[in-house]
Amino acid sequence: MNIIKLNATESTNAYLKELLAEVMVKDFTVVVAHEQTKGRGQMGTTWEAEPGKNLTFSVLKRYEGFEVAHQFMINVLVSMALYEQLKKLQVPDLSIKWPNDILSGHHKIAGILIENILSGDKIQASVIGIGLNVNQINFNNLPNVSSLKLILGKNLELDELLLSIMKTMEETFALLKSKRTLMRDSLLEQYKKVLFRKDKPSTFKNQDDELFMGFITDVSLEGKLIVTLEDDIKKEFDLKEIKLMY
Ligand code: BTN
């Protein structure tokens, strides 16, 4: 594993993608920044993190013949690796809010932004961006956000935590490579078990900002959220189409 440590950059995902366009970047190269000036979140949002207090990093993962049709497995694998790591730290009441926010109780503590580099129907590589709130204690105007320090009551060493996350992620990717189908099924099963608000009555918002009720009952292999609505009607949604309200 190569680690590139930056003092400040706009976004580690953007930095890694630019680097890829210029030089040969090895599998599992990690770019970690003390500060991101334009951290990116999912769906065009921003990712805010106080400099030096959190983990903001991106990992390059290369593949041989990974089919685009299976791309949701990358989200599942990365979410589960992060989930397992946080479980080892005894973070209470952990869950994954579809598709890949990591929550403790009702509070988001980590977000994941995966950008895939495609060649035809194959994924050549992924830039896996992870933001984990570690030692920050003030999250002004962000009521549903927390950090490991607020939850566990102690500071954690950032470098050590990064290495443990990387180790878990590398091991899980190696297992996926050697036992592809078996691992795919078992990771997806584990993911579904820890899904936030699974089988609970929940409120969602659609693209027209209308609220509706339903139960999260499943996630498809393609990564669509399956919600059971009134009269037992099951409907699949992708990320642009639905927002789960807290
Ligand atoms: C989300 O929950 O919306 C995803 C947040 C992802 C944030 C990380 S921080 C490191 C990497 N670089 C970025 O610009 N974004 C990701």
Side-chain angles (χ1 to χ4, degrees), residues 55-234:
L55 278 176
T56 47
F57 66 100
S58 303
V59 182
L60 180 77
K61 178 69 198 106
R62 294 190 173 279
Y63 313 99
E64 287 153 27
F66 198 112
E67 286 172 31
V68 176
H70 295 149
Q71 63 180 320
F72 182 61
M73 277 319 294
I74 306 168
N75 288 64
V76 171
L77 185 152
V78 176
S79 314
M80 283 314 297
L82 202 50
Y83 175 95
E84 290 302 338
Q85 198 52 52
L86 295 174
K87 210 168 158 197
K88 279 187 203 154
L89 293 174
Q90 299 187 315
V91 177
D93 204 5
L94 277 171
S95 65
I96 300 174
K97 183 164 175 255
W98 176 83
N100 48 20
D101 289 350
I102 312 286
L103 308 190
S104 169
H106 282 71
H107 292 97
K108 177 163 171 172
I109 49 177
I112 299 167
L113 178 66
I114 299 174
E115 298 181 82
N116 292 324
I117 297 138
L118 310 182
S119 164
D121 62 353
K122 300 281 188 299
I123 306 177
Q124 270 191 336
S126 307
V127 169
I128 301 167
I130 297 181
L132 172 61
N133 297 333
V134 185
N135 297 323
Q136 180 170 338
I137 50 171
N138 292 313
F139 295 95
N140 304 328
N141 307 323
L142 294 171
N144 291 314
V145 176
S146 192
S147 70
L148 297 181
K149 175 154 189 187
L150 285 172
I151 294 163
L152 300 172
K154 59 176 183 193
N155 274 312
L156 292 169
E157 222 275 303
L158 296 180
D159 284 343
E160 210 177 286
L161 190 53
L162 174 62
L163 289 180
S164 322
I165 295 169
M166 283 310 300
K167 187 165 175 275
T168 311
M169 215 193 302
E170 282 193 61
E171 285 168 358
T172 323
F173 267 118
L175 278 175
L176 182 67
K177 196 175 173 192
S178 61
K179 303 189 179 123
R180 196 160 270 193
T181 316
L182 194 72
M183 269 305 280
R184 225 174 22 224
D185 293 349
S186 110
L187 275 173
L188 192 60
E189 279 316 305
Q190 290 171 42
Y191 172 92
K192 287 181 196 173
K193 276 199 189 126
V194 301
L195 206 55
F196 180 65
R197 294 209 66 77
K198 172 109 186 296
D199 299 323
K200 293 186 179 150
S202 303
T203 309
F204 302 89
K205 200 188 250 183
N206 67 17
Q207 277 166 311
D208 301 324
D209 276 351
E210 291 160 348
L211 296 175
F212 63 96
M213 288 284 297
F215 292 75
I216 296 177
T217 38
D218 209 349
V219 176
S220 71
L221 265 175
E222 297 76 37
K224 297 234 173 118
L225 189 71
I226 301 173
V227 179
T228 303
L229 305 166
E230 262 180 302
D231 299 326
D232 223 17
I233 295 167
K234 288 189 171 39

Side-chain angles (χ1 to χ4, degrees), residues 10-13 36 38-42 45 47 56-58 101 108 110-113 129-131:
E10 283 194 358
S11 145
T12 54
N13 266 35
Q36 287 192 130
K38 268 194 202 159
R40 299 178 187 172
Q42 281 189 22
T45 57
W47 183 259
T56 47
F57 66 100
S58 303
D101 289 350
K108 177 163 171 172
I112 299 167
L113 178 66
I130 297 181

